[in-house]
Amino acid sequence: MRRDLPYALSGLALGGLLLGNAALAPDAAAVRVVDVFLVLAMAAGLAVCRRHPVVALGVVTAAMLALHVRVHPGVSAAFPVLGVAYVAAWRGHRLATASASLVFLGGFLARDISVAPADRPGQLIVERTALLLGWFVAANVAGLVARQRRAYLEQVEQRAIEAERTREEMALRRAGEERLRIARDLHDSLTHSISVIKVQAGIAVHLARKHGEEPSATLLAIQEASGAAMRELRTTLDVLRSPTDADPVGLARVDELAERTRAAGVPVQVTVTGRPRDLPTEVDQAGYRVVQEALTNVARHAGPATAQIHVEYAPAQLTVSVADDGQASPDRTTTPGVGLRGMRERVTGLGGTLRAAARDDHGFTVRATFPLDGPP
């Protein structure tokens, strides 16, 4: 109804103009109750012309033509008809608009000719009728032009939406092709090497047991780690080939990770504080990868050391830390490698913070904090 309010106010304003013009025009008849009703009908027609342009066009044309015949308020009777004719043409009702315009012009001209005095030159009637004809032609043309412009703007908007959709589809397709390329490269470069390591370790374990010897813990750890690496690599390749992660890693598998690290000769202790709960998939996977990379660094760089994994669940954040008592010290310069940079990118990409530094009493600590109280 708010969108109809300007039309209703315009109808009331034109109604006041008509009644004022009829009261002031020297050749106008007296305004009666019926004429007031005709003006109100015109105002009601303008109020609904946005929703029902054809009905409003018929009501306004008939009311103004009747008012012109009864009162003869002058050319001001054509103003409401011109406004509704523009709206009807803008809405696409060309035939109804042209018909109403011709009916009003014909009635207006017939009324002027019938009451024209003998001494009044016909040139004035023709000029006024020609003026009204120009106004009606302009109203019809303006409505059609506005309709064509609206259709053009809608077409341009639709093309922009289609172009955006096509661009998004192209980006998704390129991302899929890139995932497939990375999957092929990883498969070609890593799968063969890890498979060889796993097979060789398995053969060594088999030969040792065949000769009645117990395989060393290091050999068993290599066999277990290579098998786990193959499983994770296959999972990663499946994710790259398909956007859906069928077997995602998460903090629920930290105990498995700690067990494999113990088998490699590094004592690991796992501590969980707070109430474990469901985490966003990205945060869960990032926390697991931080622990995995930190334990890898402990096994590679810390020397003889023990590690402590601490997972802390809080209402607004998740904290994951891995500390060791290895060879690192504050007075030794630590150059961040690919692993630390990868951890930092994972954590900061989710809106978290990462601190990786040597401890005061020797050792190294990696601490990652993820926010859980809002979108990353």
Side-chain angles (χ1 to χ4, degrees):
M1 295 300 295
R2 290 182 179 179
R3 299 176 64 183
D4 293 328
L5 185 60
Y7 296 92
L9 295 178
S10 299
L12 294 176
L14 288 174
L17 175 65
L18 286 170
L19 294 177
N21 193 30
L24 297 177
D27 57 344
V31 177
R32 302 183 182 277
V33 178
V34 177
D35 304 321
V36 175
F37 278 112
L38 290 175
V39 173
L40 293 177
M42 177 272 300
L46 278 177
V48 300
C49 71
R50 183 184 66 86
R51 290 177 292 169
H52 309 287
V54 177
V55 175
L57 185 62
V59 171
V60 173
T61 301
M64 290 299 94
L65 193 56
L67 184 68
H68 178 68
V69 172
R70 288 178 53 82
V71 181
H72 191 62
V75 294
S76 58
F79 295 161
V81 185
L82 287 170
V84 182
Y86 170 80
V87 175
W90 175 54
R91 297 292 297 275
H93 305 287
R94 292 180 291 181
L95 181 60
T97 304
S99 301
S101 301
L102 292 176
V103 168
F104 184 83
L105 286 173
F108 195 94
L109 179 61
R111 166 65 171 75
D112 284 358
I113 293 176
S114 64
V115 299
D119 57 344
R120 186 175 182 179
Q123 181 181 359
L124 295 178
I125 299 176
V126 173
E127 289 178 353
R128 186 161 67 171
T129 304
L131 179 63
L132 287 178
L133 177 62
W135 286 356
F136 274 96
V137 171
N140 281 262
V141 172
L144 294 177
V145 170
R147 178 176 177 79
Q148 293 295 329
R149 176 174 175 77
R150 184 182 67 173
Y152 171 74
L153 293 178
E154 290 177 353
Q155 187 178 15
V156 171
E157 183 179 0
Q158 186 63 32
R159 288 179 179 176
I161 294 174
E162 183 69 18
E164 183 67 23
R165 184 184 62 82
T166 304
R167 184 161 52 248
E168 291 178 357
E169 291 179 353
M170 185 177 298
L172 290 175
R173 184 169 62 252
R174 289 178 177 174
E177 294 173 354
E178 184 66 14
R179 285 200 306 271
L180 292 177
R181 185 190 66 79
I182 295 173
R184 288 193 298 267
D185 292 345
L186 286 175
H187 181 274
D188 295 340
S189 60
L190 295 180
T191 305
H192 176 71
S193 300
I194 298 177
S195 298
V196 170
I197 295 173
K198 181 181 178 182
V199 170
Q200 294 294 336
I203 292 174
V205 171
H206 174 73
L207 291 176
R209 288 172 177 170
K210 183 176 180 180
H211 294 156
E213 300 174 359
E214 184 64 27
S216 65
T218 303
L219 190 58
L220 293 174
I222 293 174
Q223 184 184 29
E224 177 64 23
S226 60
M230 282 297 298
R231 290 192 295 272
E232 290 194 9
L233 181 58
R234 291 193 187 99
T235 301
T236 303
L237 294 178
D238 290 339
V239 172
L240 289 174
R241 291 190 177 100
S242 175
T244 303
D245 192 351
D247 185 22
V249 295
L251 292 175
R253 299 175 60 179
V254 166
D255 290 332
E256 301 177 14
L257 194 59
E259 188 62 32
R260 291 201 300 268
T261 306
R262 294 189 192 102
V266 179
V268 179
Q269 181 182 358
V270 180
T271 303
V272 178
T273 58
R275 184 178 180 181
R277 58 192 177 99
D278 292 336
L279 300 172
T281 304
E282 296 82 358
V283 174
D284 201 15
Q285 293 180 356
Y288 176 87
R289 295 303 184 189
V290 167
V291 174
Q292 183 184 42
E293 183 61 30
L295 290 179
T296 301
N297 289 339
V298 171
R300 292 176 59 188
H301 306 297
T306 61
Q308 296 84 35
I309 303 172
H310 186 197
V311 180
E312 181 183 356
Y313 293 89
Q317 69 179 18
L318 169 72
T319 303
V320 177
S321 64
V322 178
D324 66 77
D325 54 1
Q327 300 175 354
S329 60
D331 56 349
R332 295 178 60 182
T333 303
T334 302
T335 303
V338 177
L340 285 177
R341 288 199 297 268
M343 282 192 286
R344 192 174 302 279
E345 290 172 358
R346 285 181 182 274
V347 176
T348 57
L350 295 171
T353 58
L354 179 76
R355 182 181 181 275
R359 300 166 57 182
D360 295 335
D361 54 349
H362 290 279
F364 201 82
T365 300
V366 175
R367 181 183 177 90
T369 303
F370 301 91
L372 300 178
D373 56 349

